[in-house]
Amino acid sequence: MAWTLTDDLDAFLAAAGGFLRARPAAHTLPLTITESLRASGPGLYGGAPPRYGWWTEDGEAGGAFVQTPPHPIVLTGLPGRALPALAEALDGGAYAVPGVNAPADTAEAFAGAWRERRGGGLRARVAMRERLYRLTTLAWPDPMPPGAARVAGEADRPLLTDWYRAFGEETGAAAVPPGQAVTARLGYGGLTLWEADGTPVAMAGVSRAVAGMVRVGPVYTPPALRGRGYGGAVTAAVSGAARERGLAEVLLFTDLANPTSNGLYQRLGYEPAGDYAVWAFSSGA
């Protein structure tokens, strides 16, 4: 039982790719992150080069992590015995560990292991609690708002960049600079607009498809246009398009502190598939 760390994406996928693909819903974050890095290059998320690791047990990968500095480490679910060993493997490394993003129980357990490893000067707090949802049977909004969906194109770049920036400022969830995010998404038709009377009124994105899975997000409606059903309509549109492509898993995350979005997505046919937590680490008394 041991951790192997690397900055070689191909080596990581050769060792842990089968483990990740075996459960695409549970492993949606590392799968979509590595697929984006594979397609767009290691600089997509900024900072230092990404690093990866996998936990080997009985000769096979039984857990994994991805980190794109300066962002938190992203963990799969892991057995408790793997977490002190991971804290030891990461301690004193070249990259900082500013936090962890993982299934809620694993995130809490790693925070405890990291705090024990680093000593009493480390502060750890929950920065966000999220819920992963899985689409079952899509239920279109009734009534539908006026308008229609269309896949965004290059001409929409200024608007998309502004909306990406606004989404990040509002939620604190932007991992990629707005311009880079838009470039990456436009490259595979990963952004859709809802238009009413020829004017874009809402946006929804989808991740690159990997292992028969996509994840919806971000979903954004400008504040002045909220409450009219545009966000639900564009979410339903991209969800339905993913199903038409034959993708078995259509997923999305919500902030558990936002009852509006949690209620909306359940009305569209999404059901809870697991709770996640983001912990932030800092030094101080």
Side-chain angles (χ1 to χ4, degrees):
M1 297 183 292
W3 281 95
T4 302
L5 276 59
T6 184
D7 59 3
D8 186 328
L9 177 57
D10 290 337
F12 172 72
L13 292 176
F19 165 77
L20 296 175
R21 289 171 175 269
R23 299 179 61 201
H27 300 154
T28 178
L29 283 173
L31 279 170
T32 55
I33 292 169
T34 53
E35 186 66 10
S36 295
L37 290 168
R38 187 193 61 76
S40 299
L44 176 63
Y45 295 92
R51 65 173 171 176
Y52 318 93
W54 63 95
W55 169 253
T56 303
E57 195 166 27
D58 298 326
E60 296 184 356
F65 81 81
V66 175
Q67 187 186 12
T68 55
H71 305 293
I73 187 170
V74 174
L75 299 180
T76 65
L78 284 163
R81 59 189 174 276
L83 297 169
L86 177 58
E88 180 179 2
L90 294 172
D91 192 17
Y95 302 158
V97 179
V100 61
N101 184 352
D105 54 349
T106 295
E108 181 175 5
F110 178 76
W114 189 242
R115 200 163 38 210
E116 181 175 349
R117 181 76 189 178
R118 300 290 287 179
L122 181 78
R123 299 173 60 187
R125 64 177 180 85
V126 176
M128 181 181 292
R129 294 195 183 276
E130 298 179 296
R131 180 157 290 160
L132 179 67
Y133 284 89
R134 170 191 283 121
L135 182 63
T136 54
T137 300
L138 178 61
W140 290 85
D142 185 16
M144 286 286 286
R150 70 168 175 84
V151 176
E154 184 61 36
D156 302 302
R157 178 183 290 275
L159 175 68
L160 296 169
T161 303
D162 287 345
W163 282 5
Y164 247 95
R165 182 176 296 107
F167 175 83
E169 292 173 352
E170 185 173 322
T171 65
V176 181
Q180 287 180 248
V182 170
T183 295
R185 294 292 179 108
L186 288 177
Y188 62 93
L191 290 168
T192 293
L193 293 168
W194 189 267
E195 288 189 329
D197 295 325
T199 300
V201 293
M203 169 187 80
V206 293
S207 65
R208 288 183 179 273
V210 55
M213 174 272 298
V214 293
R215 195 172 64 254
V216 175
V219 177
Y220 180 75
T221 305
L225 297 173
R226 292 174 188 172
R228 306 182 192 186
Y230 298 140
V234 73
T235 301
V238 297
S239 302
R243 276 290 165 80
E244 289 176 1
R245 291 167 59 192
L247 294 164
E249 295 283 13
V250 184
L251 310 168
L252 56 79
F253 277 106
T254 65
D255 182 346
L256 278 173
N258 187 338
T260 299
S261 62
N262 281 270
L264 167 63
Y265 298 133
Q266 290 181 74
R267 290 193 297 274
L268 294 178
Y270 282 86
E271 293 188 352
D275 285 352
Y276 286 67
V278 180
W279 286 69
F281 305 146
S282 60
S283 299

